[in-house]
Amino acid sequence: MTTPSFELGQDHLDLKAWVHDFAAEVIRPAASEWDEREEFPWPVLEEAAKIGLYSIDFFATQSFDETGLGIPIAMEEIFWGDAGIGLSIVGTALAAAGVSSNGTPEQVGEWVPQMFGSPGDLKLAAFCSSEPDAGSDVGAMRTRATYDEATDEWVLNGTKTWATNGGLADIHVVTAVVDPELRTRGQASFIVPPGTKGLSQGQKFHKHGIRASHTAEVVLDQVRVPGRCLLGGKDKLDARLGRAREGGSSGGKNASMATFERTRPAVGAQAIGIARAAYEVALDYAKTREQFGKPIIENQAIAFMLADMATSIEASRLLVWRAAWLAANGKRFDQAEGSMSKLFAGETAVKVTERAMQILGGNGFTREYPVERMARDAKIYTIFEGTSEIQRLVIARAISGAPIR
């Protein structure tokens, strides 16, 4: 395929309907309960596994879609159901993307299937990059990985934070510094297998939104992993570090950034799902709520808000789909199109959910209606996987070629 087409074929329409039905029948009815409990929704994940939605086969099949639209379509529908439960279903995929982006074919084949498990024997994975002092500034990362040549093991020490499924996961993918002098060029990613000594869960975070999703610190204390758990292998790492020390190109992207670039359009699609859900609630409410003897949608102030909400959602979807198509077809993001899609969709989710609350008035501020939860969930999309400010920085550098700080 050389030119994009956003006219959905039957396969995409069937995918959309299948995921939407699951979101409507299983995710939405459970959303409020798990938000209030602030616990991982194991029963919902089990149902997702039973139908094949939580499985390596599902994500692998969509990754081979040459249009790139399979994942964004599925993400939008899942998160239309609920964002907290949605992140519980797709959180493992971020770690799987980390292995796929940086690992060898043998590593992908060995570890990715173990991240999902099967119905009745569910497994989770966590991608661990951020640290207490290294969020947007990945160059400030302090977690260290030291090679023990005598045993062919890497020894990891440090603390990771904001890790989805952190500590709860069976497999952790950890980014660490192997050469501090090289900063971001001196980092690599490692797989920490199930049951590895020295890895423990630190603080579990109680969050403003996405509360059904488990987010915690991961503490690494003399964690030893076999040499084969270095993603990409030691020969490739040594060659990359050698080029960097000589002052040339390292010949590869930063391990964390490579993962985030791969997932940003999908994250944008998640934000669209939240925005669309809130918009639909507000539209239905405006058609039925009467004030001064007529439905409130007949007031321009309300109708224009809904018009802007619908327009922003459509624009966000087109940006996400274009970025997903570019990625699937190996095209360059010359204008940081991946960052554009995540930035616009994330900020759209915040604006749309806030306007939905405004349209519902006092009802929107209560937990009797879901837009209050949706507004809380939406805010994270201007923060995680690159804040809106970082996305603007990436875009500004891409369009200008200047070293903007």
Side-chain angles (χ1 to χ4, degrees):
M1 179 177 289
T2 57
T3 57
S5 172
F6 298 147
E7 181 179 358
L8 299 183
Q10 192 59 50
D11 287 347
H12 286 135
L13 293 173
D14 290 344
L15 171 67
K16 179 180 173 67
W18 176 61
V19 180
H20 181 84
D21 287 346
F22 181 80
E25 296 169 7
V26 180
I27 295 177
R28 276 204 168 180
S32 179
E33 175 188 353
W34 293 99
D35 177 71
E36 293 287 347
R37 291 174 62 167
E38 296 191 58
E39 296 176 1
F40 191 88
W42 287 107
V44 182
L45 193 70
E46 182 68 31
E47 294 302 314
K50 287 179 180 177
I51 68 166
L53 182 57
Y54 182 74
S55 70
I56 182 177
D57 289 342
F58 172 74
F59 287 100
T61 298
Q62 300 311 318
S63 70
F64 287 111
D65 178 1
E66 66 176 7
T67 71
L69 301 185
I71 288 294
I73 288 170
M75 291 291 179
E76 181 176 336
E77 297 306 323
I78 292 171
F79 284 73
W80 172 89
D82 179 65
I85 292 176
L87 280 170
S88 298
I89 294 173
V90 307
T92 289
L94 179 60
V99 175
S100 299
S101 297
N102 303 301
T104 64
E106 292 76 18
Q107 289 171 328
V108 174
E110 178 180 2
W111 295 109
V112 174
Q114 296 184 50
M115 293 180 172
F116 292 91
S118 58
D121 185 27
L122 298 177
K123 306 296 181 185
L124 298 176
F127 184 74
C128 306
S129 177
S130 294
E131 298 184 3
D133 296 318
S136 297
D137 181 10
V138 294
M141 189 176 294
R142 295 181 180 178
T143 297
R144 296 288 187 265
T146 305
Y147 184 59
D148 185 341
E149 190 170 358
T151 60
D152 185 28
E153 292 178 315
W154 288 90
V155 185
L156 278 59
N157 286 283
T159 299
K160 295 296 182 178
T161 195
W162 312 124
T164 299
N165 297 340
L168 194 65
D170 299 275
I171 294 175
H172 292 75
V173 178
V174 177
T175 304
V177 177
V178 295
D179 189 332
E181 293 183 0
L182 296 177
R183 288 179 60 79
T184 58
R185 295 191 295 172
Q187 297 174 1
S189 288
F190 301 84
I191 290 173
V192 181
T196 301
K197 293 181 180 179
L199 184 148
S200 62
Q201 179 182 309
Q203 175 187 4
K204 176 185 174 180
F205 295 104
H206 296 280
K207 306 185 296 294
H208 174 68
I210 56 168
R211 300 198 303 192
S213 175
H214 177 90
T215 310
E217 290 181 331
V218 174
V219 180
L220 303 143
D221 182 12
Q222 292 294 110
V223 172
R224 287 182 167 267
V225 299
R228 65 186 179 84
C229 289
L230 165 65
L231 290 181
K234 195 170 186 303
D235 289 344
K236 184 177 179 180
L237 174 65
D238 288 342
R240 176 164 62 83
L241 295 179
R243 288 190 294 269
R245 292 178 185 126
E246 293 171 1
S249 169
S250 62
K253 296 177 180 178
N254 173 270
S256 293
M257 291 301 101
T259 299
F260 290 140
E261 284 183 15
R262 189 182 181 95
T263 59
R264 274 174 182 155
V267 173
Q270 296 171 11
I272 294 168
I274 301 169
R276 192 184 107 212
Y279 161 75
E280 290 175 359
V281 173
L283 179 62
D284 289 344
Y285 186 89
K287 289 178 178 179
T288 57
R289 173 68 168 172
E290 290 191 2
Q291 290 287 280
F292 305 105
K294 62 181 181 181
I296 62 173
I297 198 169
E298 294 183 19
N299 297 307
Q300 280 192 1
I302 301 299
F304 284 9
M305 272 199 285
L306 288 162
D308 287 343
M309 292 157 72
T311 301
S312 294
I313 290 168
E314 291 297 323
S316 297
R317 187 179 295 112
L318 287 173
L319 282 170
V320 164
W321 284 11
R322 181 183 66 160
W325 179 87
L326 289 171
N329 286 271
K331 306 292 185 180
R332 290 172 53 88
F333 284 177
D334 289 329
Q335 298 189 85
E337 288 87 349
S339 290
M340 284 182 177
S341 69
K342 195 269 184 182
L343 168 66
F344 195 81
E347 300 215 333
T348 290
V350 170
K351 292 176 183 176
V352 168
T353 54
E354 287 181 349
R355 287 179 178 178
M357 288 180 66
Q358 189 70 23
I359 290 170
L360 269 66
N363 287 326
F365 200 64
T366 72
R367 295 187 183 180
E368 296 301 314
Y369 288 81
V371 293
E372 174 270 341
R373 184 181 69 250
M374 294 168 183
R376 287 189 285 107
D377 291 342
K379 183 56 189 172
I380 194 63
Y381 286 86
T382 66
I383 299 172
F384 74 172
E385 292 214 37
T387 64
S388 288
E389 291 72 27
I390 289 296
Q391 306 302 338
R392 289 187 172 93
L393 182 63
V394 172
I395 295 165
R397 288 173 176 171
I399 64 176
S400 69
I404 300 168
R405 297 292 179 186

